[in-house]
Amino acid sequence: MRGSWMVAAFALLFAASATCALAQSPPPGATACTGCHAGSDTALPSLKGRSAADIEAAMIAFKTGAREATLMDRIARGFTDSEIREMSRWLADGGAK
Amino acid sequence: MNARLDRRAFLAGVGALAVASPSVLAQAKPRVVVVGGGFGGASCARALAERGVAVTLVEADARYVACPFSNLVIHGSRGLDQQTFGFDGLRKVGVEVVHGRAANVDADARRVAFQDGTTLAYDRLVLAPGIDIRFDALPGYDAAAADVLPHAWKAGAQTALLRKQLEAMEDGGVVVMSVPANPYRCPPGPYERASLIAHYLKTHKPKSKLLVLDAKDAFSKQKLFMAAWAELYPNHLEWVPLASGGKTVEVDVRAKAVVTEFGRHAGAVVNVIPPQRAGVIAHAAGLADRSGWCPIDPVTFESRLRPNIHVIGDAAIAGAMPKSAFSANAQAKHCADVVAALLRGQAAPEPKLINTCYSLVAPDYGISVAGVYQPAKGILADVEGAGGVSPGSASRETRALEAVYADAWFRIATSSVYG
């Protein structure tokens, strides 16, 4: 009884996440990040495997100027703090490839 | 006859087919057709496949030759093979790739027509046709003239021809470059090319000189370019702006000369970058306005002139966004999200787009311009406070770093689109 309930719950969970992945658009701006930060190039670091907190902290530091940059400061200033949070979550959640 | 059968029949070369019945079409999995295999089209097709959408990419050529970095081929430090990409990587992720020349679109019947008369049905169409060289814009400069005085503004044989001519030129020869008024593909491109040609002359043909005849008084990253030219190429590069008579009014192929409002400039090598417009199919399909480019909705990138057709990349009027490979790539991924949402019956997501363009002033000296864009008052507008160019005061170490980043961007962009 308990076993079949678990199976049903997992099936539901799986179905929900699969639908979710298909049926939601990425937050504004998020897909542009991987124009540079993808793959395994070391000069422009990939975002794959980074936590949402790390990506968000880096973007905020670029935006405020706390972190030195050649170009990321100019880009980060174009996003609100909440946009940065949403993008970071999406990228950490499989959006970064 | 559904979309899939139609497509198979097309591939088998059967020829023109009956118009699909809407009731049957509605039952089939919606199919998106993308026309154009450059940074915009190929990237959009790939993103659609990754989002689970059935997609066919139509591209005339078996291989794509990329424009970004092709100025290094002209400079002599890079091979054209490093600019050339196939479509097998797209096939691997589920994109159906069809090689054929799409000539027109019937927006009412939702069909793409090929030059050979066959057609391909779609539910939504994404058009990324790039640019068409306007061979009617400069008297004396037609397609045959380009075989003598290359434009090299579409990468490939033209790029190789310009390189060959520079290599064959005697030391002391004058190189003449004609630059058009806005808008055109890659706004800083002519100035990167001028820089790298000047670098080649300085290092290999020091008695030679480049004369840049410009139809404008101002251009992208101008202060940075001009400061670098004064420092690096004071004897090898002369820029003549519009105000000093730089605008080309005629080309004399036989004399290998460019005629401006103020004079006549013959060169041992002449590179004419002519005015441009959206790719040919955009005009045939009624997607371009009188400007020669395609007006679009800034949220969905849908044509303002025909329904169910999205236009991305260089062909589109994208407001403040420049005609660059980076812009095309960013627009492509957004457009894929829009198309996927619309096919699900959902509202299109709002865009927030990024552009970054690196230019090389020398092989180890890079500068950049960046921008962030969002819809405002019906166009894609700059987000205020963001974007801009590299600082004028940056050190040579920073310039070298930006050249490294430029190279990294190209490798990442091409491998994530074609790899």
Side-chain angles (χ1 to χ4, degrees):
Chain A
M1 185 66 192
R2 189 186 163 87
S4 66
W5 181 85
M6 288 275 283
V7 169
F10 271 118
L12 256 176
L13 199 69
F14 184 74
S17 67
T19 313
C20 207
L22 276 175
Q24 271 187 5
S25 300
T31 57
C33 303
T34 49
C36 289
H37 300 285
S40 54
D41 208 287
T42 47
L44 296 171
S46 172
L47 295 173
K48 193 177 176 180
R50 309 230 171 191
S51 71
D54 282 355
I55 299 170
E56 184 182 350
M59 280 290 279
I60 296 292
F62 284 132
K63 185 178 169 180
T64 59
R67 182 167 167 181
E68 208 177 320
T70 56
L71 183 138
M72 277 308 299
D73 52 341
R74 291 178 255 158
I75 288 174
R77 285 199 303 269
F79 294 90
T80 66
D81 290 0
S82 65
E83 283 173 336
I84 287 171
R85 177 161 302 157
E86 289 301 312
M87 288 163 76
S88 304
R89 272 189 199 152
W90 182 83
L91 288 162
D93 198 29
K97 281 179 292 193
Chain B
M1 186 72 56
N2 67 24
R4 182 149 194 99
L5 276 174
D6 178 6
R7 198 162 30 76
R8 289 226 174 110
F10 155 73
L11 288 170
V14 165
L17 289 148
V19 174
S21 117
S23 62
V24 177
L25 256 184
Q27 290 162 20
K29 189 176 180 185
R31 176 153 293 265
V32 176
V33 172
V34 179
V35 174
F39 282 90
S43 177
C44 190
R46 190 183 190 111
L48 283 163
E50 287 170 354
R51 285 153 179 76
V53 175
V55 56
T56 302
L57 175 67
V58 177
E59 162 59 39
D61 300 319
R63 286 150 83 73
Y64 176 69
V65 187
C67 270
F69 268 67
S70 67
N71 283 332
L72 279 179
V73 177
I74 292 162
H75 173 260
S77 53
R78 195 174 171 86
L80 208 48
D81 57 320
Q82 290 170 276
Q83 298 294 116
T84 307
F85 302 91
F87 294 94
D88 286 346
L90 285 147
R91 289 189 180 95
K92 271 185 208 154
V93 296
V95 175
E96 183 171 35
V97 182
V98 172
H99 291 297
R101 194 167 288 279
N104 209 337
V105 181
D106 184 337
D108 296 327
R110 296 195 194 182
R111 301 179 86 85
V112 175
F114 289 78
Q115 229 163 27
D116 63 3
T118 53
T119 67
L120 181 59
Y122 62 81
D123 294 284
R124 278 194 175 269
L125 176 67
V126 178
L127 217 59
I131 58 151
D132 181 36
I133 300 289
R134 281 192 54 197
F135 285 117
D136 61 342
L138 296 175
Y141 195 75
D142 55 15
D147 292 337
V148 185
L149 314 178
H151 55 76
W153 218 242
K154 286 187 175 187
Q158 279 279 309
T159 316
L161 177 61
L162 181 55
R163 171 63 199 158
K164 204 175 118 193
Q165 291 182 349
L166 283 171
E167 239 177 329
M169 185 181 76
E170 283 183 21
D171 189 5
V174 172
V175 182
V176 175
M177 178 188 286
S178 166
V179 182
N182 291 321
Y184 57 89
R185 162 179 282 177
C186 190
Y191 311 98
E192 177 186 75
R193 178 177 291 179
S195 305
L196 292 174
I197 290 176
H199 184 269
Y200 170 70
L201 298 180
K202 183 182 173 183
T203 49
H204 290 79
K205 292 173 182 172
K207 286 184 247 166
S208 287
K209 186 184 160 180
L210 169 67
L211 183 65
V212 181
L213 304 168
D214 203 334
K216 303 183 291 299
D217 284 322
F219 59 85
S220 174
K221 305 178 224 182
Q222 183 169 5
K223 276 189 185 166
L224 294 171
F225 272 115
M226 293 190 76
W229 292 345
E231 180 194 343
L232 303 173
Y233 314 120
N235 303 314
H236 293 95
L237 196 165
E238 184 189 345
W239 176 65
V240 184
L242 172 70
S244 306
K247 187 186 175 185
T248 300
V249 294
E250 195 183 334
V251 176
D252 185 340
V253 181
R254 207 174 281 179
K256 293 176 81 171
V258 170
V259 182
T260 66
E261 282 170 337
F262 288 19
R264 191 181 175 84
H265 306 274
V269 174
V270 178
N271 172 210
V272 178
I273 304 169
Q276 297 145 38
R277 59 177 194 159
V280 177
I281 190 174
H283 303 275
L287 298 163
D289 68 14
R290 291 181 64 181
S291 72
W293 306 95
C294 302
I296 51 150
D297 178 282
V299 174
T300 62
F301 282 77
E302 275 181 297
S303 167
R304 295 232 191 245
L305 304 177
R306 295 282 186 276
N308 304 309
I309 302 175
H310 305 253
V311 185
I312 56 171
D314 291 350
I317 300 172
M321 279 192 102
K323 298 187 188 304
S324 72
F326 195 112
S327 287
N329 185 264
Q331 291 167 8
K333 288 188 268 187
H334 169 67
C335 188
D337 284 321
V338 166
V339 168
L342 293 175
L343 290 176
R344 290 192 301 262
Q346 295 174 345
E350 283 278 319
K352 191 137 188 183
L353 297 169
I354 297 172
N355 177 62
T356 297
C357 288
Y358 288 102
S359 298
L360 298 176
V361 180
D364 62 348
Y365 188 128
I367 54 176
S368 62
V369 61
V372 184
Y373 312 89
Q374 64 188 12
K377 295 176 186 164
I379 62 155
L380 275 164
D382 279 302
V383 173
E384 275 185 43
V389 299
S390 309
S393 58
S395 64
R396 273 309 283 267
E397 287 70 30
T398 300
R399 305 293 192 214
L401 202 53
E402 291 219 284
V404 169
Y405 290 160
D407 181 65
W409 167 76
F410 184 78
R411 279 184 283 116
I412 290 165
T414 52
S415 70
S416 62
V417 176
Y418 300 100

